[in-house]
Amino acid sequence: MVKENEVQTVSVPIEVAQEYVSKLLGFAPLQLSDDLYNVVITHLGQMVDEFGEKLLDKFTSKFTTEKIQSLTYYLKEKLEDRLVDMFDSFDIFLVSKVLYLNPSVVLKDDEPQLAYSEKHDKAIDDRIITYTNRISVLKSCLTEVEQEAAKINSIIHNLKNMKNNVNQTLENVYGVKSVDELCTSVYERNNSISRLCTALNNINLSNVNFLSICSPPKKKKKHKNK
């Protein structure tokens, strides 16, 4: 329960606090802070790297390269963390003390329109008509998309039925369940025939046993009728 004399405070995110002043300045105050931070962090990294190189040149004989690099990384990490904290405070100072608007300031776009302007009124009507037409076009496009989607779904359904019919025919006629299985079966049979032909070609036709087995049947003599 809030007492009558007690003042309520509301915490507003810094991004919200800069929104109004951004309209007046033409840029976001925090963007200025971010750009400054990027410049500082870049030069800070370069300075630490140069410091590490000088340490290597001067103390290579006394310390290992790994120790000097570890010191450099530790220093850079601590300085960057400290820099982040500093810029967090700087953001608050920039928005609340430097680039800010008095609560009583009203931007031109937010000023109440006390006089009637036919030109302004017509401009509003034109914008309403424009957006209404755009909405109508979008609805029309949506209807066409739904119709095309229905056609595609119908085609997919027909293709599934055709596939099922083909598979059923293959199973009834060839005893296989799919075209792939039929192709595999035909491929295996062709390979078997090819191997058989190769084996027959390699057999020595002069072999007596082969000739006796493969000799053609004797023709029967026909008896002439007297």
Side-chain angles (χ1 to χ4, degrees):
M1 189 72 179
V2 181
K3 297 180 181 180
E4 293 182 359
N5 296 330
E6 187 176 345
V7 178
Q8 286 184 291
T9 58
V10 179
S11 298
V12 179
I14 195 168
E15 291 80 4
V16 176
Q18 70 166 346
E19 181 178 358
Y20 204 60
V21 70
S22 298
K23 294 181 180 179
L24 180 64
L25 298 176
F27 67 91
L30 288 184
Q31 184 61 50
L32 175 64
S33 177
D34 290 342
D35 294 340
L36 181 60
Y37 171 81
N38 292 332
V39 173
V40 174
I41 196 70
T42 300
H43 286 284
L44 177 64
Q46 294 174 354
M47 290 170 59
V48 173
D49 292 338
E50 292 176 0
F51 173 71
E53 292 175 359
K54 291 182 178 180
L55 286 179
L56 285 173
D57 294 338
K58 190 172 183 179
F59 300 104
T60 302
S61 60
K62 296 182 179 180
F63 300 100
T64 62
T65 304
E66 289 75 13
K67 286 187 177 181
I68 295 177
Q69 288 179 345
S70 178
L71 173 63
T72 304
Y73 294 151
Y74 178 80
L75 178 62
K76 182 183 291 186
E77 182 180 0
K78 291 299 180 182
L79 289 175
E80 288 179 352
D81 290 342
R82 180 58 181 159
L83 188 65
V84 171
D85 294 336
M86 291 172 58
F87 267 87
D88 287 341
S89 300
F90 177 72
D91 289 342
I92 297 174
F93 172 76
L94 187 65
V95 173
S96 61
K97 301 296 183 181
V98 182
L99 301 178
Y100 78 100
L101 290 179
N102 191 288
S104 61
V105 174
V106 178
L107 297 182
K108 185 176 181 179
D109 293 341
D110 297 330
E111 292 179 353
Q113 186 177 352
L114 302 178
Y116 174 76
S117 172
E118 183 178 356
K119 182 178 179 181
H120 183 69
D121 190 51
K122 185 178 183 304
I124 294 176
D125 290 339
D126 291 340
R127 291 181 65 185
I128 293 175
I129 293 173
T130 299
Y131 287 114
T132 302
N133 292 336
R134 290 179 181 177
I135 293 174
S136 299
V137 172
L138 289 175
K139 287 183 177 180
S140 177
C141 292
L142 178 61
T143 302
E144 292 182 3
V145 169
E146 291 176 348
Q147 292 175 352
E148 293 298 325
K151 292 179 181 179
I152 293 174
N153 290 332
S154 177
I155 293 173
I156 293 174
H157 179 71
N158 292 335
L159 289 175
K160 288 182 178 179
N161 289 336
M162 291 175 61
K163 181 180 179 181
N164 293 333
N165 293 334
V166 170
N167 291 338
Q168 186 64 42
T169 302
L170 290 174
E171 186 174 4
N172 294 337
V173 177
Y174 298 102
V176 295
K177 295 183 179 180
S178 65
V179 175
D180 292 337
E181 189 175 346
L182 177 62
C183 292
T184 302
S185 177
V186 172
Y187 177 77
E188 291 176 351
R189 291 182 183 181
N190 288 339
N191 284 341
S192 299
I193 294 173
S194 178
R195 288 194 297 269
L196 179 60
C197 291
T198 302
L200 291 175
N201 290 331
N202 292 334
I203 293 177
N204 188 356
L205 297 179
S206 62
N207 188 298
V208 178
N209 294 329
F210 178 80
L211 292 175
S212 62
I213 294 173
C214 300
S215 58
K218 295 181 180 180
K219 295 182 179 180
K220 294 182 179 180
K221 293 182 179 180
K222 294 183 180 180
H223 297 282
K224 294 182 180 180
N225 295 326
K226 293 182 179 180

